[in-house]
Amino acid sequence: MKPSAFQYERPNDLHAALGLLASGDDTQILAGGQSLVPMMNYRLAQPARLVDINQLSELNYIREDGDVIAIGALARHAAIKSSPLILEHLPIMAEAYDWIAHAAVRNRGTLCGNLCHADAASEMPAIMQILEADLVLSKVGSSRTVPARDFFIGIYETVITADEMLTEVRIPKPLPGTGWGFEEVAMRRGDYAWCTIVATLQIEDGKITAPRIAMAGVETSAARLTAAEDAIVCQTPGAALFVQVADAAAQAADPADSATGNAAYKRDLVRALLPRVLNVAVSRAG
Ligand SMILES: Cc1cc2nc3c(=O)[nH]c(=O)nc-3n(C[C@H](O)[C@H](O)[C@H](O)COP(=O)(O)OP(=O)(O)OC[C@H]3O[C@@H](n4cnc5c(N)ncnc54)[C@H](O)[C@@H]3O)c2cc1C
C-alpha cells in the first residue's frame, strides 16, 4: 500500500515548525513515523501536509530539571529506555519498554509521538498517568501544560489541537522508596497490550500510601483506577485485600470491543494482573 499524495515540509527549528502548524489545516506532525506512516499506507490517515520534526535537534533530550525529568519531543523510545536518568529515577519506564514494540521501532519512535497517537492499547499513556506527568503543548506565541490524566479522550483522540505540538513531557521524580509494578498480557512481547496494569506506591509504617494504579488495553483509553487506589490507601498490604480490590476493578471496568478479547476475558485479565502488580510494587517499596 502507498499513501495518498501529501505536501512535505522539513523545518529546521521549532519556531518554523510551529509556524507551519499554524498556517494550514489538515497538517500532521511526522516524528518517528512508526504509527503515522502505517496509517497513511493503509489510508486510515490522509493528511494533506506533513511537518517532519526530525531536524529539530533542540527537542532531542532527556534531562533533569530540579525534581522533574524532562523529555523532549524527539527523544526516541530506545534513548529513553537506556537513559541513566530514567534507569535511576523512572525504572518503570525502562521495564515497560521491554514490552513496547521491537528494537527497530523503538530506535525511531518517540514518546511524544506515542502519546499523541493515543492508541487504547499503548502502555505509556497509563504509565504517564500514574507518574503524574505534565505534557507541554506549544503553539505560536504560547504554550499550555496539561496533566497526562486529562490528555487522553478516546481511541486516537487527545486534547491537542491542530496548531499545537507536544514539545515536552515533564515527569516528577518519584519519592525515594517508591515501589512499582508492571504486568501485561499481549500476543507476544512487543505487541500492543491486551491488558496492561501499572502501579506505584509507598509503604509507611506498614501501610500503603500514595497508591497510583492505571490500566491500558481494556477501555477506549488508558485510565487511572481511582476506586482501587482509594480501597488500598492507608491499608496493610495483603493478598486478600488485593484480590478483593482486583475483583471490584474488574467488575467496574468497561472493556471496549476488540479483536484481542471479549469483555469477560478483559475483566479476567484485570482480575488476574492487578494483585500481581500490587504485590510486586509492595516488594519493591522500601
Ligand atoms: C510493529 C510495531 C509494534 C508496535 N508496538 C507497540 C506497542 O507494543 N506499544 C506501543 O505503545 N506502541 C507500539 N508501537 C507504536 C510505536 O510506539 C510508535 O513509535 C509510537 O506510537 C508513535 O511514535 P512516533 O514517534 O513514531 O510517531 P509518529 O508515527 O510520527 O506520529 C504518531 C502520531 O502522533 C502525532 N505526533 C507525533 N509527534 C507529535 C508531537 N510531538 N506533537 C504532536 N503530535 C505528534 C503525529 O502527527 C501522528 O498523528 C508499535 C509500532 C510498530 C510499527
Side-chain angles (χ1 to χ4, degrees):
M1 294 288 287
K2 289 192 173 140
S4 54
F6 58 89
Q7 195 184 331
Y8 175 78
E9 305 279 358
R10 200 175 192 207
N12 287 319
D13 59 40
L14 177 59
H15 180 76
L18 295 181
L20 286 164
L21 292 180
S23 70
D25 288 338
D26 201 13
T27 295
Q28 285 212 48
I29 291 170
L30 176 69
Q34 300 302 302
S35 296
L36 180 57
V37 172
M39 290 191 87
M40 289 174 65
N41 286 344
Y42 283 114
R43 309 272 172 124
L44 296 170
Q46 299 188 42
R49 184 169 64 158
L50 289 188
V51 174
D52 182 342
I53 62 169
N54 283 277
Q55 293 294 100
L56 309 190
S57 52
E58 66 207 275
L59 297 181
N60 188 1
Y61 59 84
I62 303 157
R63 61 186 175 221
E64 209 163 7
D65 182 6
D67 291 337
V68 164
I69 303 297
I71 300 177
L74 260 197
R76 315 278 176 189
H77 298 310
I80 300 168
K81 183 178 193 298
S82 60
S83 156
L85 277 177
I86 298 297
L87 292 168
E88 180 181 351
H89 297 290
L90 301 165
I92 189 171
M93 289 183 72
E95 182 173 323
Y97 269 130
D98 283 335
W99 288 84
I100 298 175
H102 316 283
V105 174
R106 293 194 298 259
N107 282 340
R108 288 300 297 170
T110 63
L111 173 64
C112 288
N114 180 288
L115 298 177
C116 291
H117 185 58
D119 193 302
S122 187
E123 295 84 350
M124 281 300 164
I127 292 178
M128 292 303 109
Q129 291 187 47
I130 60 165
L131 294 176
E132 304 206 322
D134 282 325
L135 310 187
V136 181
L137 309 182
S138 304
K139 65 179 181 180
V140 172
S142 68
S143 68
R144 61 181 173 133
T145 299
V146 176
R149 220 173 145 167
D150 299 334
F151 184 70
F152 304 97
I153 298 174
I155 300 174
Y156 304 134
E157 209 183 349
T158 72
V159 300
I160 200 164
T161 57
D163 57 350
E164 288 179 318
M165 184 190 304
L166 172 54
T167 45
E168 186 176 88
V169 176
R170 296 180 63 78
I171 310 172
K173 292 179 196 166
L175 292 173
T178 298
W180 80 94
F182 175 98
E183 288 283 340
E184 175 164 316
V185 170
M187 174 80 85
R188 299 162 299 193
R189 268 193 188 225
D191 287 357
Y192 280 101
W194 293 358
C195 175
T196 298
I197 306 279
V198 293
T200 58
L201 52 77
Q202 290 143 37
I203 303 289
E204 279 174 30
D205 299 327
K207 308 278 189 198
I208 296 168
T209 62
R212 299 174 192 159
I213 310 169
M215 67 181 176
V218 177
E219 299 184 338
T220 52
S221 63
R224 282 276 288 265
L225 298 178
T226 48
E229 294 172 359
D230 292 344
I232 64 171
V233 72
C234 300
Q235 302 294 318
T236 304
L241 172 67
F242 292 164
V243 166
Q244 187 187 333
V245 166
D247 197 46
Q251 291 300 331
D254 184 16
D257 285 339
S258 112
T260 61
N262 63 22
Y265 178 57
K266 295 269 179 161
R267 286 201 182 91
D268 274 350
L269 292 178
V270 174
R271 195 176 282 112
L273 297 187
L274 186 45
R276 288 189 216 165
V277 169
L278 293 176
N279 280 320
V280 171
V282 167
S283 71
R284 284 170 167 163

